[in-house]
Amino acid sequence: MLEQNFLAFINDNQLFGTSDHLLLAVSGGIDSMVMADLFYRTNQPFSIAHVNFGLRGADSEADALFVQNKAEHYGVPFHLTHFDTTAIAAERGISIQMAARELRYTWFDQLLEDYKYACVATAHHLNDVLETLLLNLTRGTGLAGLHGIASKQNGIVRPLLFATRSQLAMYAEEQKLLYREDSSNSDDKYARNRIRHHIVPVLTELNSGLWQTLPRTIERLRAAEVLMQAELKRSWKETILQDGNQITLPADKLQALAELTFQLAEWLKPFGFADDQVKHMIESLNQSVGQVFESSTHRISHERIGLLLEPLPIPMDYEITLVDWPNGLVAVAGAFALAIDEIEKTGDFNLPTDSSIACLDADRLTFPLTIRPWRQGDRFRPLGLNGHKLVSDLLNDLKVSRTEREQTAVLLSGGQIAWVIGRRIDHRFRVKAETKRIGRFSLTSTMDFPPNRS
Amino acid sequence: MLEQNFLAFINDNQLFGTSDHLLLAVSGGIDSMVMADLFYRTNQPFSIAHVNFGLRGADSEADALFVQNKAEHYGVPFHLTHFDTTAIAAERGISIQMAARELRYTWFDQLLEDYKYACVATAHHLNDVLETLLLNLTRGTGLAGLHGIASKQNGIVRPLLFATRSQLAMYAEEQKLLYREDSSNSDDKYARNRIRHHIVPVLTELNSGLWQTLPRTIERLRAAEVLMQAELKRSWKETILQDGNQITLPADKLQALAELTFQLAEWLKPFGFADDQVKHMIESLNQSVGQVFESSTHRISHERIGLLLEPLPIPMDYEITLVDWPNGLVAVAGAFALAIDEIEKTGDFNLPTDSSIACLDADRLTFPLTIRPWRQGDRFRPLGLNGHKLVSDLLNDLKVSRTEREQTAVLLSGGQIAWVIGRRIDHRFRVKAETKRIGRFSLTSTMDFPPNRS
């Protein structure tokens, strides 16, 4: 019965193909042991991965050994790793749970890549879904917090999402499956237990069909969110005026928006702005201009035309040293990166017309190269100009915005400015007729507006 | 404290203005008695309406008297009505709760109209919202079932939606307010009590700030639904091909849709189709054409191009008799209506070119006029034709679809067909040079695609 539902669920949701080789995340607890057994009995190719987080001493060791034995029993490949989770969490200043989660998924990603597994499978089930929903509801949430985890997302599948905890327990009993007591170190453990033992039983008493209706409810909420995100994205595109790294949200368009507070909050969340800041931004629209709101990465200023969104100025103290051609992307700081390549100059070479790309004479450049913000007093010899010019004068002439001015950087070779990045190259480093090799530097934004919305 | 929050909530949500005169729905229970007292103390103009549903004999009478006395004490107008709810519910074959709800709101609407009240206020509070959310979640729901009732919708405001039941109880105690024991006859009473006494206390224990975060969660879900509905509507418009009462949903466009199952189900719900039918429709797209799905009002047929949505044929037995010019809209049956006016023929009169409008010589028409479906054997004299023609031949010549054929009706004057409605007028009833008065008949769809989405 559970086997049939398992296969039907995989098929209905197109989680993976019957010949795909999956990597199962197995803790040794009842849920993941049932999952592994279902894969085994349905002849789905799989390997097992177990993480020893080192959080429970000898018990952790015993869990690992238990899972390893089971993998040998099934005759499938077994991957084991060990982390000193407590130390890593302390070092990074994050919770043990968060550290465990990050370590686990980073390792899985590596295994997927190294062994070409189709995807990772975890043993989340319907009770997890309901408990998470209620936990999030209790704490305050949005739509995503209610529908919770998807059956397939980011290379992870959850093929038990159709089943309840008691169905899994029944299967384990029927198959006389052994398992280790789940001893989750979840920060939510207390809350989840309260929900599991005191709330869910009342809900199932009120509707004995709860476990049949829940997946449909969840599916409706998930679909609703996909549509809502599509509308958010469409509306963002129709609202904004973009000029490089500057986004203007015109006040008149904002005022005409349906659900302005919600939409603006959703749009600006990826840029680090909090709901309260958004509320104040909206209030500021009816006040005189000049108010500024900052997140850890971005700034919004209330200007005459509306709200201006920009990346925060890059910190003024960075200096990047290149000891050789990186032939790839070099992230500089905050908002920009350089793609740097050394290429042969061929007959059909044309100088770029885009000021965001600099082609320089590679043989004229001497390593180490330096990238740093421009400074007062910086001078260079602009291309085609017979003489020197202050960088500050160049920026004045180009009438760049305050933020752009603050963010302008220079590329130096042997102490000389070779490129005022994104603005003008230096005459001495230009590509000449006799140039053989070219250093090509392309300015790239690391900011995607809006940041990925799936 | 509660008073300030009450005023702030009304102001923040622009529920009504300080000089608006409201009609308060007051049962006599603690919630509505607190509401009335808050209106009184904040000097908001109001009247009180009480419904005696006659469900609890002498207790119901005592409730009514209690509320009446309070209205007199406040010196505000009092409206009272009485329904034999049990009898009406039995007569209509609906639940007592549903009957009570309908009777109550119909009466409120009447009072709003008669006394020009700004709106009706009901005493729903935050606990009601959470209980309804959990109840709907238990039974299976969508987004709307989670965010629940809005603070302002359809002429009803809920100015206590910011407050918890215990805040209202505290206010009642402080103000030494008297109230009658709420003895709701809700069908949900048992379930609500279980949720109230067994679930909500656990949730508030897990997050003591629950009542602060809940309104924000609810607001986010409500806003999410507005955006989702906007996307549903936009996507509907981009998908459909409409030709009168026929809507085609092209298969290729359907297959390319995000969240097809959900979107199709949401679109077709107002036309009476159930989720399971929608599932089968989608399956049918991969099968041979010909499958037909019917709701109580509409039909979907799987045709070569995709899904064809049409109103079900109008019942074949109607006959509408007009004894005089109605000068307004006459609903005929199901899918169509006629707008009928008698107008003077002026110098700049032009004959309509649209076959959905007939202009006839009013003096040639003799009342009573009759509107009925066409019948086999019906003949008329098409405009410009010197001789008679069978209506069936006309419809053949026009190559109308089967449904349109079945739905075609005729307008008769003195036993003669004056108009094959929407198709061709009769030559004898045409507007002539000497015509003085014109009877104008405009065919109008009673179907709005999609039906109103708020």
Side-chain angles (χ1 to χ4, degrees), chain A residues 138 190 194 205 207 222 259, chain B residues 138 190 194 205 207 259:
Chain A
T138 309
Y190 173 76
R194 294 285 290 164
E205 174 221 302
N207 176 17
R222 197 199 49 71
E259 304 300 336
Chain B
T138 309
Y190 174 76
R194 293 286 288 164
E205 174 221 303
N207 177 15
E259 305 301 336

Side-chain angles (χ1 to χ4, degrees), chain A residues 85-103 187:
Chain A
T85 315
T86 312
I88 294 169
E91 191 181 296
R92 297 200 194 155
I94 56 179
S95 72
I96 287 177
Q97 198 192 3
M98 194 176 291
R101 193 188 154 79
E102 273 180 24
L103 290 166
D187 298 344

